[in-house]
Amino acid sequence: MQTHEFSVQPKHIIWFQVAGLSEEHVGMLRFASAVNERKTSLESMECLGKMWSYNFFKLRPQSGQGFLSQMTGKDDIVGTCQDYQHEPVWKIFDRLSYKTYILESGARADESVLKAADCETASVTDSFLSDVTIWNMGKAKSAADAKFFHHQDKVIEGFDKTGIFYDRACQEGNCFSSLSENARALFKRMGSEKKNYVYIVRDFSFEAKLKEGKIAEAREILFEIEKLINFFKTEAGTDPLMQVLVTSSAARPIEFPDQGVPWLEFENQGKNILYKKTALTSPAFSFGASSENFCGFFSEAEVFSRLLWFKTGRDRKGFEGFWY
């Protein structure tokens, strides 16, 4: 049990989007060691909610589409350029004087928010990707035209101006920077800015390893993400205005083996996995300021409005349409 103050407006929002994650995957962390009494950071969150994974057109949309619903508050995501005509949450936060930063890891072209750039034309003046800084841990399409960053740079690009920046350490095939290294270095700089911010950390590599049946590799990725979440939870413990949110999409159920040899085969060979389709619900974990907004059952599209629920009374003027 822990104390919690309700209706606190978060000034610093840390939002993890982890594709494929199910709350049962915590078992990968707990049962990887003979000593499993210690709770993981996900187990010790203040609230666990469940999101329905469907939209107007299909049950079980792909994780990239589900995350887009979460970021736009819309249920009509179809995987085409029309999806990017919706106003994303960072534009609302920009009007509320919050800076938004996105760090992406392991995203395919059809999963990344950068897909919106392929839909833009010269006539679009207020694009989906304006008012946000995006750090992408993937390979740039054209090195000559791209802008780059590295977590060890004395001055990291993306803070003095918005735009798209690629990790220099990820341009030669393998990526020589880790998600944790980048996330922490960028966060350290955010703290020095002394501004309200939304920091979205997106990972698709965990889901990719689950699809491939590479359970041991998926577990190592989840270990890194769990440590990173714990780092931000610790920060939120000393910052009463920080909110830590972890949402999934297209959660992938796994039937864990009981013991011994089957468990080794499960980790090393991906055996005994009984998922054919993704789950109908995905988890949302929350901690800190306004974490109570993410308790209960709700649709993925409602994440948008729950992020903005701290606007109350006369402060809601001009934002009434974002509440269900």
Side-chain angles (χ1 to χ4, degrees):
M1 303 294 288
Q2 51 191 314
T3 59
H4 177 74
E5 185 176 351
F6 288 80
S7 300
V8 175
Q9 176 177 335
K11 302 289 188 181
H12 313 127
I13 299 173
I14 311 296
W15 180 7
F16 286 86
Q17 292 185 326
V18 185
L21 178 67
S22 166
E23 63 272 22
E24 286 197 355
H25 293 159
V26 174
M28 291 185 186
L29 308 177
R30 292 213 75 177
F31 306 132
S33 162
V35 182
N36 54 35
E37 290 83 8
R38 184 186 67 85
K39 284 189 175 182
T40 65
S41 60
L42 290 172
E43 291 175 274
S44 57
M45 289 290 204
E46 290 178 323
C47 189
L48 169 62
K50 295 288 284 184
M51 300 175 292
W52 289 109
S53 296
Y54 65 85
N55 59 32
F56 287 153
F57 302 103
K58 65 169 69 172
L59 285 173
R60 306 182 184 92
Q62 296 178 5
S63 57
Q65 295 173 10
F67 286 144
L68 202 53
S69 281
Q70 295 175 23
M71 293 189 293
T72 62
K74 302 300 181 182
D75 285 316
D76 58 345
I77 303 300
V78 293
T80 66
C81 285
Q82 77 176 51
D83 298 340
Y84 302 101
Q85 296 175 9
H86 299 310
E87 188 172 51
V89 70
W90 50 83
K91 290 197 175 287
I92 311 301
F93 274 114
D94 183 67
R95 298 205 291 271
L96 296 170
S97 300
Y98 285 70
K99 291 267 292 180
T100 299
Y101 306 97
I102 298 176
L103 173 63
E104 280 195 333
S105 172
R108 300 192 314 262
D110 62 330
E111 296 168 334
S112 172
V113 292
L114 299 183
K115 181 181 177 181
D118 296 331
C119 302
E120 304 291 49
T121 64
S123 62
V124 177
T125 57
D126 191 24
S127 76
F128 186 88
L129 297 178
S130 64
D131 304 318
V132 62
T133 291
I134 300 168
W135 295 293
N136 185 279
M137 294 176 64
K139 188 171 183 179
K141 289 183 178 180
S142 171
D145 300 327
K147 293 176 285 188
F148 297 95
F149 79 98
H150 191 277
H151 68 87
Q152 292 181 331
D153 288 342
K154 186 174 182 180
V155 178
I156 300 178
E157 296 288 344
F159 286 97
D160 57 341
K161 56 186 175 182
T162 60
I164 301 167
F165 303 88
Y166 293 90
D167 191 342
R168 282 201 308 274
C170 303
Q171 303 307 304
E172 302 297 330
N174 292 328
C175 195
F176 297 99
S177 292
S178 71
L179 177 64
S180 181
E181 287 173 331
N182 280 332
R184 291 178 187 235
L186 296 169
F187 171 73
K188 184 177 179 181
R189 175 65 188 274
M190 279 172 217
S192 67
E193 293 284 299
K194 306 297 183 184
K195 295 178 181 178
N196 299 344
Y197 58 79
V198 181
Y199 186 19
I200 306 174
V201 181
R202 313 181 79 222
D203 177 81
F204 292 86
S205 59
F206 175 70
E207 178 187 45
K209 294 303 180 183
L210 289 180
K211 287 181 179 179
E212 295 170 11
K214 296 180 179 179
I215 303 302
E217 292 181 42
R219 178 166 57 86
E220 291 306 309
I221 293 171
L222 189 57
F223 261 122
E224 181 183 15
I225 292 172
E226 199 275 335
K227 288 179 181 178
L228 195 53
I229 293 169
N230 190 59
F231 167 78
F232 284 109
K233 266 192 76 228
T234 301
E235 292 290 327
T238 59
D239 181 357
L241 301 181
M242 179 176 285
Q243 176 186 96
V244 180
L245 173 65
V246 182
T247 63
S248 176
S249 188
R252 293 193 164 268
I254 293 176
E255 180 159 323
F256 288 91
D258 293 328
Q259 60 183 343
V261 173
W263 190 279
L264 289 176
E265 291 178 339
F266 160 69
E267 283 211 344
N268 297 330
Q269 302 172 35
K271 290 187 176 181
N272 304 308
I273 300 173
L274 299 179
Y275 56 78
K276 293 182 179 179
K277 295 182 178 180
T278 57
L280 282 177
T281 60
S282 295
F285 306 85
S286 54
F287 183 88
S290 289
S291 62
E292 68 273 10
N293 291 355
F294 299 94
C295 297
F297 268 88
F298 47 95
S299 71
E300 288 192 299
E302 281 186 78
V303 172
F304 180 93
S305 58
R306 288 168 183 256
L307 276 168
L308 296 163
W309 195 257
F310 58 78
K311 299 296 292 178
T312 58
R314 60 187 177 87
D315 289 337
R316 268 196 207 180
K317 187 175 182 181
F319 298 92
E320 295 86 352
F322 301 114
W323 284 268
Y324 288 80

